[in-house]
Amino acid sequence: MDELLRIKNLKTRFHTQDGVVNAVNGISYQLEKGEVLGVVGESGCGKSVHALSIMRLIQIPPGEISDGEIWFENRDLLTLSENQMRRVRGRDIAMVFQDPMSSLNPVLKVGFQIVEALRLHTDLNPKAAKDRAAELLSLVGIPEPYKRLDNYPHQFSGGMRQRAMIAMALSCEPKLLIADEPTTALDVTIQAQIVDLVIKLQENFGMSIMWITHDLGIVAEMAHKINVMYAGYIIESGSAQDIFKRTRHPYTMGLLGSLPKIDEEPGTKLLSIPGLPPDLLRLPKGCPFYARCNYREDHCKEEMPELEDTDKNGHLVACWRWEEILAGEIT
């Protein structure tokens, strides 16, 4: 597979009255063409901030991308001018946000907003752009697309608004679609429909997808590769099979243990991870998961482990004791 996106040592922080919030702390990974990457972790772990950094949508100030490189098709996005970056957004990289109502302009018709994106990034004339907008609404499963082009966002249900946002994101056939918890505000039935829709569209368009979520069930269904984030770090990364079947980080083990399983005995209690994530204003010197970890030792408190390739096949883990955990030497 060919590389589409490479992140190198990305750091993003926010300057506040209380101090510097270290939101993303030196993450590195790559995404291949046609690959689906799941990014998972608790709220506040840096998932969304890292995606906004890729899109160069961090508000400066108070935000700042303080270090790193974001290579997309052999261009470092952090070196582009704002005008150059505007041409990348929407055309090459598109993003779908969690709440479609805050992403769609409430006083403009849905059709106008999709047509505007098409006119900005393509050479389609107004009629062709409108036809393409209707085609996109039909593609994402919205009935009577020409009629719906004249509706305002409040006339759409939550699921239909999210479909309209996906249609807008796909309008210029981007090479990378970033979906930032796009199903969180929807009920379970609509969530499943949106996930199935995105899987089908990914197969049809052949684009890469970054799906950001706290729901491991969703990424199990669609992701080829998963990054697990904690306190602004990637603490485990690998194929979906690696993450679910050969888990090697205590935090990932805790996340998986908190999921209900169909084959469990009735009355089986779900596991929970004790404590709270560290304060991003005052990150600990060692492993950020130290205070909540059942496998911790003194060394973990003093030094942050680097991501290590545990099987020489791309399954990366940042834990001093992963070998002992894997071998069952500590429980």
Side-chain angles (χ1 to χ4, degrees):
M1 298 175 75
D2 297 325
E3 179 181 294
L4 180 69
L5 175 74
R6 178 180 289 271
I7 309 291
K8 293 183 179 180
N9 195 38
L10 178 65
K11 296 181 181 179
T12 304
R13 56 189 183 181
F14 295 89
H15 299 270
T16 70
Q17 290 182 333
D18 297 323
V20 178
V21 176
N22 299 286
V24 178
N25 298 304
I27 66 172
S28 300
Y29 67 88
Q30 68 184 58
L31 176 64
E32 309 295 334
K33 291 180 180 177
E35 188 174 50
V36 179
L37 169 69
V39 182
V40 301
E42 293 170 287
S43 296
C45 71
K47 305 186 302 292
S48 297
V49 172
H50 118 269
L52 292 171
S53 300
I54 294 170
M55 297 292 288
R56 292 261 306 271
L57 291 175
I58 297 293
Q59 185 174 342
I60 304 172
E64 173 193 14
I65 300 174
S66 59
D67 197 6
E69 302 170 13
I70 302 172
W71 290 90
F72 181 81
E73 292 196 317
N74 300 316
R75 288 187 298 172
D76 184 357
L77 300 184
L78 297 183
T79 66
L80 301 185
S81 68
E82 184 55 34
N83 283 337
Q84 290 173 317
M85 194 62 207
R86 282 197 196 100
R87 289 193 286 271
V88 172
R89 294 190 202 107
R91 186 181 65 183
D92 294 325
I93 308 176
M95 192 164 180
V96 178
F97 295 92
Q98 179 174 337
D99 180 9
M101 200 59 190
S102 63
S103 304
L104 290 165
N105 191 321
V107 300
L108 296 176
K109 294 178 180 179
V110 170
F112 175 85
Q113 296 182 61
I114 299 175
V115 167
E116 184 180 37
L118 284 164
R119 296 295 309 282
L120 180 65
H121 292 294
T122 71
D123 56 1
L124 294 177
N125 62 43
K127 183 183 184 307
K130 184 176 181 179
D131 290 341
R132 176 60 176 158
E135 181 186 344
L136 287 162
L137 289 186
S138 177
L139 185 68
V140 298
I142 294 179
E144 300 182 285
Y146 276 98
K147 180 181 176 182
R148 286 297 191 171
L149 289 175
D150 290 326
N151 286 166
Y152 291 91
H154 73 269
Q155 295 174 283
F156 280 42
S157 67
M160 288 178 69
R161 282 196 292 268
Q162 198 57 283
R163 287 171 184 266
M165 281 302 302
I166 292 170
M168 190 181 302
L170 295 176
S171 60
C172 299
E173 299 187 17
K175 298 173 179 116
L176 171 61
L177 175 67
I178 300 175
D180 186 8
E181 303 205 43
T183 61
T184 300
L186 307 176
D187 65 57
V188 176
T189 304
I190 305 300
Q191 281 187 24
Q193 292 175 5
I194 295 294
V195 170
D196 289 343
L197 169 66
V198 172
I199 291 172
K200 182 177 75 174
L201 293 172
Q202 190 272 335
E203 292 170 351
N204 291 344
F205 284 85
M207 62 188 169
S208 300
I209 292 177
M210 182 185 298
W211 190 281
I212 298 168
T213 184
H214 60 268
D215 189 336
L216 283 162
I218 290 178
V219 294
E221 182 178 354
M222 66 188 305
H224 303 129
K225 179 181 171 184
I226 298 172
N227 287 342
V228 182
M229 290 191 68
Y230 187 79
Y233 298 94
I234 294 175
I235 51 89
E236 186 162 10
S237 177
S239 68
Q241 190 79 0
D242 285 337
I243 299 300
F244 283 92
K245 300 296 184 184
R246 294 180 285 275
T247 316
R248 292 177 184 176
H249 196 284
Y251 175 64
T252 313
M253 292 164 66
L255 288 181
L256 293 173
S258 67
L259 290 175
K261 297 177 179 64
I262 294 175
D263 56 354
E264 280 182 336
E265 292 293 324
T268 302
K269 290 185 177 180
L270 297 177
L271 298 178
S272 63
I273 303 174
L276 296 170
D279 185 352
L280 296 180
L281 287 164
R282 288 169 286 274
L283 281 172
K285 180 170 65 172
C287 175
F289 192 58
Y290 172 83
R292 308 173 73 186
C293 184
N294 293 327
Y295 304 95
R296 66 190 180 202
E297 59 182 7
D298 291 343
H299 181 55
C300 304
K301 189 176 182 178
E302 298 302 320
E303 189 178 356
M304 173 67 188
E306 297 287 337
L307 277 172
E308 182 180 351
D309 193 341
T310 62
D311 58 7
K312 309 306 177 189
N313 196 34
H315 186 178
L316 309 175
V317 179
C319 178
W320 291 115
R321 310 196 72 188
W322 70 263
E323 289 177 289
E324 298 163 88
I325 294 169
L326 185 66
E329 294 172 10
I330 49 176
T331 58

